[in-house]
Amino acid sequence: MNKINNEFLESSIFISWYEKNMRKLPWRETEEPYFVWISEIMLQQTRVIQGMEYYQRFVKRFPKVEVLAAASEAEVLKYWQGLGYYSRARHLHEAAKDIMIRFGGHFPQKYEDILSLKGVGGYTAAAIVSIAWNRPYPVVDGNVFRVLGRLFAVDTPVDTTEGKKRYAELAHRIMDPAQAGRHNQAVMEFGALQCTPQNPACSRCPLMHQCAGYAGGDPQRFPVKRRKVKTRERYFHFLYIIYNNVYVYLHRRDENDIWRGLFELPVIETAYPADFAELKNLPEFKKLFLSDSHAVFTPDRNSVRHVLTHQVLYVTFCKVEIRTESEALKAYLKIPLHTLDDYPVPILIHRYLESVRK
């Protein structure tokens, strides 16, 4: 690789590319830290195209930190419904209340204070202070890991302490502190559009002659990763139970597991795939409907495979119409059927309910 003499040559190249290729996105129309914060949290684990509509709807309902802080958790989760990784929404809500208490409703300007907010890591804090106030804190996210890993052919695994330190040093080295905010946005956009995970546009890359990964002939092997996380398989069987055509039953997930804070239909989890014939013979199923010989069961023939970060859910649904309420059902939240849309639910349940209520 040719020696780079210009101190911030890479930064100027990134910024020049960005000014020609950047996407027009609503959160780029402001440097208000509150909106930068919302967008950065929302885009974690979410594609930009998917997140745009949610972002606009979210900030329209919660345009200021005090409005977000004053809302109920259920409402915040309802506006987040469909984005997944709901801990992000809960942390936003908690952080908004913290800003009202600790900072008098003013978004903190110090990197360390922003980093102290619930759900904010080094990447998000760096993005906020650099974009809002042009502070020289480089961001290092998945896109940046990929760009730096290829540009410098970093052999140190990115998912190690040593690797993270190495990438942080490189991110600092190439940043022009006078254009910190612009630089950070440029590198992230470059990774999203130019230096993509698969089939990067190397032949049209303005950094082609500086890129050690390209010179080595295999840029896609970077960034190097060490860990492989084992995926857990789970089998959920949801029951959409309607009582006398008036009420339905829900359960709020409070345990430290997926969908905490959301509502769900009564569910039976099995350790293995089970069809309806097997399900109705389980003790917990019989307990729910023991006293109603007139219950009408309508199993959905379509099962759903729902992929999460470290889990794969195999989901079935069954609509159940009952006339008598069992003792077991009294442990659930019984709500009027017409209020069901007021409750935040996981997106796969939302889709099922939409399909059966048309």
Side-chain angles (χ1 to χ4, degrees), residues 239-252 263-266 289 318-322 325 329-343 345 349 352-353 356-357:
L239 304 169
Y240 177 38
I241 306 169
I242 304 174
Y243 175 39
N244 282 337
N245 294 316
V246 177
Y247 297 101
V248 295
Y249 297 86
L250 294 176
H251 165 68
R252 187 174 186 271
F263 292 83
E264 65 180 359
L265 302 172
F289 308 110
C318 181
K319 180 180 178 181
V320 186
E321 297 168 271
I322 62 172
E325 183 181 58
L329 280 174
K330 291 179 181 179
Y332 292 89
L333 175 66
K334 183 169 71 174
I335 65 167
L337 181 59
H338 70 273
T339 68
L340 186 55
D341 288 336
D342 296 336
Y343 294 82
V345 298
I349 294 179
Y352 167 75
L353 291 174
V356 296
R357 295 165 69 200

Side-chain angles (χ1 to χ4, degrees), residues 82-324:
L83 278 173
Y85 301 94
Y86 291 92
S87 60
R88 296 179 296 171
R90 290 193 297 271
H91 292 164
L92 270 176
H93 192 217
E94 291 178 39
K97 291 187 283 187
D98 188 21
I99 290 171
M100 297 303 298
I101 295 170
R102 279 203 292 151
F103 303 102
H106 300 288
F107 203 94
Q109 295 189 24
K110 292 182 179 179
Y111 174 85
E112 294 76 14
D113 289 338
I114 297 173
L115 192 61
S116 72
L117 297 174
K118 188 76 171 179
V120 174
Y123 156 75
T124 302
I128 294 170
V129 296
S130 65
I131 295 171
W133 298 290
N134 203 38
R135 306 259 174 79
Y137 288 84
V139 298
V140 186
D141 72 343
N143 284 326
V144 178
F145 281 137
R146 185 167 59 257
V147 172
L148 294 179
R150 291 172 178 175
L151 183 59
F152 295 98
V154 182
D155 284 318
T156 311
V158 68
D159 51 354
T160 62
T161 301
E162 184 183 354
K164 290 175 182 176
K165 182 180 178 181
R166 172 66 174 149
Y167 277 93
E169 291 171 349
L170 292 172
H172 275 282
R173 183 199 301 180
I174 68 169
M175 167 179 270
D176 180 355
Q179 301 189 75
R182 203 70 170 164
H183 169 89
N184 278 339
Q185 293 183 84
V187 180
M188 289 188 288
E189 190 79 333
F190 192 86
L193 301 182
Q194 179 80 32
C195 196
T196 52
Q198 303 297 324
N199 303 315
C202 294
S203 62
R204 303 191 310 274
C205 179
L207 284 161
M208 179 173 62
H209 298 298
Q210 281 96 275
C211 182
Y214 178 75
D218 187 16
Q220 286 186 210
R221 84 177 187 89
F222 302 102
V224 176
K225 294 183 180 180
R226 183 189 63 176
R227 300 174 189 159
K228 288 189 177 180
V229 180
K230 186 177 180 180
T231 300
R232 176 187 178 193
E233 294 187 336
R234 303 175 74 177
Y235 301 89
F236 287 178
H237 309 276
F238 288 107
L239 304 169
Y240 177 38
I241 306 169
I242 304 174
Y243 175 39
N244 282 337
N245 294 316
V246 177
Y247 297 101
V248 295
Y249 297 86
L250 294 176
H251 165 68
R252 187 174 186 271
R253 292 188 74 99
D254 291 321
E255 60 270 27
N256 190 24
D257 193 5
I258 58 171
W259 304 327
R260 184 165 65 88
L262 297 183
F263 292 83
E264 65 180 359
L265 302 172
V267 61
I268 296 173
E269 182 175 357
T270 58
Y272 51 85
D275 60 20
F276 182 69
E278 295 171 297
L279 186 67
K280 68 181 183 180
N281 286 319
L282 295 176
E284 53 264 54
F285 185 96
K286 292 180 178 180
K287 192 175 180 182
L288 287 172
F289 308 110
L290 189 63
S291 59
D292 193 346
S293 59
H294 299 287
V296 177
F297 301 96
T298 310
D300 192 317
R301 294 182 179 180
N302 300 313
S303 61
V304 178
R305 182 175 181 268
H306 191 66
V307 180
L308 303 174
T309 304
H310 305 314
Q311 300 184 48
V312 177
L313 309 183
Y314 296 92
V315 178
T316 65
F317 291 95
C318 181
K319 180 180 178 181
V320 186
E321 297 168 271
I322 62 172
R323 298 182 187 178
T324 305

